[in-house]
Amino acid sequence: MEYQMTDSQKLKNYYSTIYESVEYNDYIMAEKRKTQQMKNASKLGNVVDFLIKMLVASIYLSIVFVFKYHYIYFPIVIFISVFFLIISVRSYRREEKSFNLLTQVFNEKQQLFNDLINRTEKPAMPEDKLNPDFIKTIIAVFDSGRADTFKEALQIHEQDCQHRELVAYQNSLIAAANAARNAADEANARAAKAKKEADYQRREAEYWRQEEWYRRNR
């Protein structure tokens, strides 16, 4: 009799085959390196743009200072700007070349990973759900013993999500009620303090009014 894997076993087998594979790890690492290199190239590109603007500004200022103020040595800033611009452009081209190479490597690793996915039998789940985080969530549902099939596991996952949303909503209502109560308590405390201060001022005024009356009628 042929052995039939359970849905839980099928999902675990799919996860280990795909997301614990060399192809997936290589794909993720290539993506990270490409992304980091893109950031480096982008930063250098911004530096080059800034230095071009500085060069244009230095040319304009050199014209003004030479012809208006006769500062004949001021154009040296043009050569300084050109020097730094050349260095930055060379660095940018190196980073851009590295980015292109890493992009090529990434495309190759991505293709190998896609080939692995295409030749691996997929579980009876929506394809957009076959990502590592969601699969681990469904595996946890299976391991809890609350489901035996993909359909049951997906239903329970949906119920869990709805329950978490409900709990979060209830917690937000409780937090709002607590905040309102605290605000009311603070308002009452301020009102009591203001009343106490007003009563004190009233008694003080009455005291000095009586003092003044006694002084005048002695």
Side-chain angles (χ1 to χ4, degrees):
M1 183 176 179
E2 185 180 354
Y3 171 72
Q4 289 287 339
M5 288 195 301
T6 64
D7 285 352
S8 175
Q9 291 171 331
K10 291 177 183 178
L11 190 60
K12 290 178 180 179
N13 182 65
Y14 180 82
Y15 181 86
S16 62
T17 301
I18 299 297
Y19 295 110
E20 293 178 354
S21 65
V22 173
E23 290 86 350
Y24 178 70
N25 290 331
D26 290 346
Y27 162 69
I28 293 298
M29 291 303 298
E31 183 180 35
K32 288 180 179 179
R33 286 194 293 265
K34 187 195 76 166
T35 301
Q36 184 59 49
Q37 190 63 32
M38 181 177 64
K39 291 179 180 178
N40 295 340
S42 178
K43 288 179 181 178
L44 274 174
N46 292 335
V47 171
V48 170
D49 290 341
F50 173 76
L51 290 175
I52 290 174
K53 294 177 183 178
M54 288 293 295
L55 176 60
V56 173
S58 64
I59 293 173
Y60 172 77
L61 290 174
S62 295
I63 294 173
V64 172
F65 276 79
V66 169
F67 288 97
K68 187 173 183 179
Y69 301 107
H70 306 292
Y71 290 168
I72 60 175
Y73 296 108
F74 193 86
I76 196 173
V77 298
I78 297 177
F79 298 100
I80 295 174
S81 299
V82 170
F83 173 75
F84 283 108
L85 180 59
I86 291 173
I87 292 176
S88 297
V89 168
R90 288 178 178 175
S91 299
Y92 174 72
R93 286 176 178 172
R94 286 196 299 268
E95 294 293 333
E96 190 176 37
K97 184 178 180 181
S98 297
F99 172 72
N100 291 334
L101 291 174
L102 288 174
T103 299
Q104 183 178 351
V105 171
F106 168 76
N107 291 336
E108 292 172 356
K109 299 299 182 182
Q110 186 180 44
Q111 185 60 49
L112 291 173
F113 178 59
N114 288 336
D115 290 342
L116 175 64
I117 292 177
N118 292 332
R119 66 174 182 265
T120 302
E121 183 179 357
K122 295 180 176 61
M125 288 173 53
E127 192 160 346
D128 62 324
K129 303 294 187 183
L130 295 178
N131 61 76
D133 291 335
F134 189 83
I135 289 176
K136 285 192 288 188
T137 301
I138 298 302
I139 288 175
V141 173
F142 278 124
D143 289 343
S144 69
R146 295 182 293 162
D148 295 319
T149 65
F150 290 126
K151 183 178 180 180
E152 292 173 352
L154 291 172
Q155 289 175 344
I156 290 173
H157 170 71
E158 183 64 27
Q159 292 170 1
D160 289 345
C161 290
Q162 292 175 355
H163 176 70
R164 285 193 293 269
E165 290 176 359
L166 178 60
V167 171
Y169 177 69
Q170 290 174 338
N171 289 337
S172 67
L173 292 179
I174 293 172
N178 290 335
R181 183 171 60 252
N182 291 336
D185 291 342
E186 291 178 3
N188 291 334
R190 288 194 297 269
K193 183 178 180 181
K195 183 177 182 302
K196 183 178 181 181
E197 181 66 22
D199 290 342
Y200 173 78
Q201 294 295 336
R202 180 181 55 77
R203 290 193 301 269
E204 281 288 300
E206 180 64 20
Y207 171 80
W208 289 111
R209 187 185 66 76
Q210 292 179 0
E211 282 290 315
E212 180 67 15
W213 186 84
Y214 289 141
R215 185 180 65 80
R216 288 180 180 180
N217 291 277
R218 280 190 300 183

